[in-house]
Amino acid sequence: MLLLKSRLHDLRIVAYYLGKICIVVGIAMLIPLTLALFLSEFSVVYDFVIGFSVSLIIGYTLLFLYRTEEDLNWMQGMVTVAVSWLIAAFLGAIPLYLSGHFACFLDAFFEAISGFTTTGLSLTQDLDHLSYGHNLWRHLTQFLGGQGIVVFAISFFFSGASGVFRLYVGEARDERVLPNVINTARFIWRVSLSFFLLGSLMLFAVGIIIGLSPGQSLFDAVTLFMAAFDTGGFAPHSQSILYYHSLPYSMALVFLMVLGALNFKLHYELWHNNRGELFRNTEIRTFLSSVFFLFFFMAISLTAGGVYSSANGLMYAGFFQIISAHTGTGFQTISSLQFPVWGDFPLGILIIAMGLGGGLCSTTGGVKMLRVSIIAKALSQDINRMLLPGSTILVKKIHHIKDLVLNERMIRVSLIITFCYILMYIVGALAGAGLGYPLELAFFESTSAAANVGLSVGITSPEMPGLLKLIYIIQMWTGRLEFIAVFILFGFLVAFIKGK
Amino acid sequence: MINYIKSFFPALLIILFLSSAVKAAPTVSVRELYANSKTLDGQEVVFEGEVIGEVIQRSEGCWINVHDGTEAIGVLIRPQDAGLIEFTGSYTCRGDIVRVNAVFNRACDTHTGSMDLHAKDLERIKAGRKIEHFVSPKKKNAAVVVLLAALITGFLALYRKNE
């Protein structure tokens, strides 16, 4: 039985809010357009003029036709969020497609949704000859998507209606940092922009030290900061981080990736000098433990397999890839061709790291640390319960900003989301295997897409089947929104078609 | 004398054959390097491709990244060889095509531990060039039309809002 009831009226309200999102995406295109003008990339300017104008035409037409003062209800909010990400990717793909670096519009759409969902899988052809304007736009989609397109719109373009909270939740933000959701969204942007200045400056300085020219160092610092802090994974060069041949540069990026994987609630505590939280927080503890164990096994495996014999190699390739996978970033210090050479066991470790993800209410994808922690605690509670006398009352707590008593609802929600992710990883893997790729490689790529990571073993390429591109697009979109908004959208559409 | 020439001729042929074989030593691709990384580790190889990005100067030499058409690999070259490179591949330039004789390292312990080439010598076999980017009239016209349409819909939406 379908509980959702959708009417034409709902569609009109959704369309009105989508109009606002279109305008926001269009305005964002003015940034690469300005850079292209500054660098005299005139052909690129036209691409962004077209993208900007089409966004405004669609946006203003929707605002004109469906003007409303009505607030969003839960269903409308969720549907708006789910469709917003597809529309943003469609609009974001226009200047990319016009660049001539994509085989078809589907590839450009893939790139845009990969950017907005902070995945980082790329179908750009001849990336090393891509313009600065287009390259900046690729990275900017990650910066906007990392904070959340709707959070971005809420921060700067929405007034204080209660419907914005529904949009915020729909975008897979389970937690409010501040009581008011608009203030929360603005805080997220304040943190991101502050780190943007500091992080870019740090990368610029390291870039100069390792021998990059000032211009290249600045551009790479800005783009790589966006990709690292938003755990996106795009890079301005086809070799990703391997381009720089530098351990210090890669370690600076490790710092930024970990920073991006922290829960924004934790950022808020650190912002207000509550440094003790860093040591008590269950997400941090789970993350560090997981990184430690995974790297331990990775190091043993790579050394025993004769892949690396030096500490340099283990840090630059092994440790970096663990962090890149665990934070959902997807930067690579080795070529996609080299992953299969590592062997199945290290690939398995990376799949686990990708699947687990980083902090809740951060820019990472995957199951996420708080849920892993809750499930682990619940498991230990059940084991203890079996060992202790039946009359014993067991209370398990986790510390996340404050002490939280573990309850059935928390456990159920964590298990459902985890189950959905695992199912999606498997379905994508089977699809890849069905289309002719080796199962273990298909599983790696599927997990990378669904957990919004972006590491690739080489399956993602312009030559891969169109069906697989579509499957990865759905995985990236669903994984970023953590299922709920997408499920409600499908329910809404089915109910609408059935006329309920 | 004739006997002397007769005995010398096969040797001359062998020398000519060997020297031509050296000259036309097959180049390897990045894919081949990865696929045969264990057997080629520490071996001297010939690699060709376009220089992309920029020349990165370090204390140990200069790093360039060379793209063979499908993949790129880092090559450490001598500072004096860096002077041979005029164009590097970017949006505005097609980079020089270079050929390097280099030692292949599967996991270079002296640097980051990653796969790289240490060049013994570098030869520029084709000069790069500036790329001119022309805007097609179609694109220009489309941009003007959609920009005008965006302005009109913007005014209409604003009018409706103020109504």
Side-chain angles (χ1 to χ4, degrees):
Chain A
M1 188 182 77
L2 269 171
L3 295 174
L4 289 172
K5 292 189 176 184
S6 57
R7 300 163 296 156
L8 197 62
H9 176 69
D10 296 316
L11 273 184
R12 298 172 73 92
I13 293 177
V14 168
Y16 174 72
Y17 282 92
L18 285 178
K20 288 190 171 193
I21 301 290
C22 291
I23 293 169
V24 170
V25 174
I27 290 170
M29 287 186 202
L30 293 176
I31 297 170
L33 192 153
T34 309
L35 179 76
L37 262 178
F38 179 72
L39 296 174
S40 307
E41 294 179 341
F42 295 116
S43 174
V44 180
V45 171
Y46 283 100
D47 297 346
F48 282 102
V49 166
I50 293 171
F52 165 77
S53 303
V54 172
S55 306
L56 259 53
I57 291 168
I58 297 173
Y60 281 128
T61 304
L62 292 174
L63 291 190
F64 179 77
L65 293 176
Y66 305 114
R67 172 139 214 97
T68 179
E69 297 296 321
E70 215 174 304
D71 213 352
L72 289 160
N73 62 30
W74 273 107
M75 181 182 68
Q76 293 157 356
M78 292 288 170
V79 171
T80 302
V81 167
V83 181
S84 289
W85 284 73
L86 295 178
I87 285 204
F90 170 78
L91 298 173
I94 293 171
L96 293 177
Y97 177 65
L98 292 173
S99 72
H101 283 256
F102 294 89
C104 56
F105 191 79
L106 180 66
D107 285 11
F109 182 78
F110 183 101
E111 188 84 3
I113 205 156
S114 175
F116 280 118
T117 58
T118 72
T119 307
L121 290 171
S122 180
L123 292 181
T124 309
Q125 296 181 343
D126 197 12
L127 176 61
D128 299 297
H129 293 98
L130 187 68
S131 71
Y132 284 102
H134 288 111
N135 228 332
L136 180 65
W137 177 237
R138 290 171 73 238
H139 291 82
L140 200 60
T141 58
Q142 300 205 311
F143 199 50
L144 297 177
Q147 269 54 259
I149 305 163
V150 178
V151 168
F152 175 62
I154 289 170
S155 310
F156 301 107
F157 299 95
F158 280 70
S159 53
S162 62
V164 296
F165 176 61
R166 282 138 203 169
L167 293 173
Y168 176 82
V169 174
E171 213 165 37
R173 301 273 182 206
D174 292 23
E175 302 178 304
R176 265 188 287 186
V177 179
L178 294 160
N180 180 310
V181 77
I182 291 182
N183 289 341
T184 298
R186 286 184 183 153
F187 171 78
I188 288 174
W189 271 95
R190 205 164 54 239
V191 169
S192 303
L193 291 174
S194 305
F195 279 127
F196 172 74
L197 288 175
L198 294 172
S200 301
L201 199 65
M202 177 184 76
L203 284 179
F204 173 71
V206 180
I208 293 290
I209 292 167
I210 65 162
L212 300 180
S213 67
Q216 188 72 61
S217 184
L218 182 64
F219 183 76
D220 288 10
V222 167
T223 50
L224 286 175
F225 171 82
M226 289 195 262
F229 183 73
D230 288 282
T231 63
F234 279 157
H237 307 284
S238 62
Q239 291 157 284
S240 191
I241 308 308
L242 192 57
Y243 172 87
Y244 303 96
H245 310 285
S246 166
L247 191 60
Y249 204 75
S250 62
M251 288 303 126
L253 287 169
V254 163
F255 173 70
L256 293 175
M257 287 190 279
V258 172
L259 212 56
L262 298 184
N263 192 317
F264 275 107
K265 253 186 155 174
L266 188 62
H267 276 295
Y268 183 79
E269 294 301 316
L270 299 176
W271 203 258
H272 290 88
N273 270 332
N274 181 10
R275 293 198 190 104
E277 183 61 28
L278 201 58
F279 304 100
R280 290 195 303 272
N281 192 283
T282 188
E283 281 198 295
I284 296 287
R285 287 179 172 195
T286 313
F287 178 75
L288 291 178
S289 313
S290 175
V291 167
F292 175 79
F293 283 109
L294 291 173
F295 179 58
F296 176 74
F297 289 115
M298 172 76 93
I300 289 176
S301 168
L302 291 178
T303 311
V307 181
Y308 300 108
S309 53
S310 69
N312 263 4
L314 288 177
M315 288 302 286
Y316 185 73
F319 181 70
F320 186 93
Q321 290 312 145
I322 289 275
I323 294 292
S324 179
H326 220 315
T327 58
T329 308
F331 283 149
Q332 293 189 194
T333 45
I334 65 166
S335 162
S336 298
L337 299 171
Q338 208 179 347
F339 277 123
V341 180
W342 275 17
D344 288 344
F345 189 71
L347 283 192
I349 290 173
L350 287 180
I351 290 171
I352 293 170
M354 291 194 289
L356 292 178
L360 203 72
C361 195
S362 71
T363 63
T364 67
V367 175
K368 296 189 180 71
M369 288 296 103
L370 191 59
R371 295 191 185 113
V372 173
S373 171
I374 287 170
I375 293 168
K377 286 272 180 186
L379 193 66
S380 85
Q381 191 179 28
D382 278 358
I383 292 169
N384 284 343
R385 198 171 281 152
M386 280 187 272
L387 296 173
L388 293 166
S391 58
T392 312
I393 296 172
L394 264 177
V395 177
K396 280 270 181 188
K397 287 180 181 175
I398 54 167
H399 182 85
H400 175 56
I401 313 300
K402 58 186 179 188
D403 283 339
L404 303 167
V405 176
L406 212 60
N407 61 47
E408 288 296 319
R409 189 182 169 278
M410 286 161 77
I411 299 166
R412 194 176 63 243
V413 170
S414 299
L415 281 171
I416 289 171
I417 300 280
T418 306
F419 172 76
C420 287
Y421 270 113
I422 293 172
L423 193 67
M424 191 158 66
Y425 301 154
I426 294 171
V427 168
L430 292 176
L435 288 164
Y437 295 98
L439 184 62
E440 67 280 12
L441 300 186
F443 194 44
F444 185 99
E445 207 85 355
S446 163
T447 308
S448 179
N452 304 124
V453 180
L455 291 178
S456 176
V457 283
I459 291 178
T460 301
S461 73
E463 293 80 34
M464 75 175 169
L467 178 62
L468 199 55
K469 287 176 190 171
L470 278 174
I471 290 168
Y472 288 166
I473 285 171
I474 293 168
Q475 284 188 304
M476 291 189 274
W477 172 56
T478 314
R480 174 62 181 84
L481 295 178
E482 296 194 343
F483 308 100
I484 306 300
V486 176
F487 288 166
I488 290 178
L489 171 67
F490 283 113
F492 176 86
L493 291 175
V494 170
F496 189 78
I497 291 163
K498 286 189 171 179
K500 288 200 176 186
Chain B
M1 183 66 185
I2 288 172
N3 285 341
Y4 178 73
I5 290 171
K6 270 183 181 172
S7 61
F8 180 69
F9 190 67
L12 188 70
L13 276 179
I14 289 167
I15 290 166
L16 279 173
F17 174 75
L18 284 177
S19 63
S20 68
V22 168
K23 208 171 186 179
T27 55
V28 289
S29 67
V30 179
R31 279 180 190 275
E32 285 167 333
L33 288 174
Y34 281 111
N36 307 305
S37 59
K38 285 202 171 167
T39 50
L40 290 173
D41 190 23
Q43 304 287 312
E44 202 172 312
V45 296
V46 181
F47 182 75
E48 274 180 26
E50 180 193 357
V51 182
I52 50 167
E54 57 179 22
V55 179
I56 305 170
Q57 292 180 356
R58 297 270 170 78
S59 55
E60 68 264 29
C62 295
W63 282 102
I64 55 170
N65 291 288
V66 183
H67 202 288
D68 68 3
T70 52
E71 286 280 333
I73 192 167
V75 184
L76 184 70
I77 59 172
R78 295 172 302 182
Q80 61 266 35
D81 286 338
L84 298 172
I85 297 164
E86 192 182 352
F87 292 96
T88 56
S90 66
Y91 177 65
T92 51
C93 290
R94 198 49 70 185
D96 291 338
I97 306 291
V98 295
R99 178 187 293 140
V100 289
N101 286 305
V103 175
F104 171 67
N105 298 293
R106 188 174 57 87
C108 177
D109 285 342
T110 45
H111 299 117
T112 53
S114 59
M115 211 170 261
D116 64 20
L117 293 169
H118 291 188
K120 289 194 157 179
D121 57 70
L122 178 144
E123 182 190 353
R124 188 169 79 152
I125 54 175
K126 190 180 172 193
R129 60 180 169 82
K130 291 253 177 217
I131 304 171
E132 295 289 331
H133 293 277
F134 297 104
V135 189
S136 73
K138 248 188 197 173
K139 194 186 267 187
K140 277 184 184 171
N141 293 340
V144 172
V145 169
V146 288
L147 188 60
L148 281 174
L151 286 173
I152 292 166
T153 46
F155 278 125
L156 285 174
L158 204 65
Y159 177 75
R160 172 117 198 246
K161 190 185 174 188
N162 295 332
E163 216 176 24

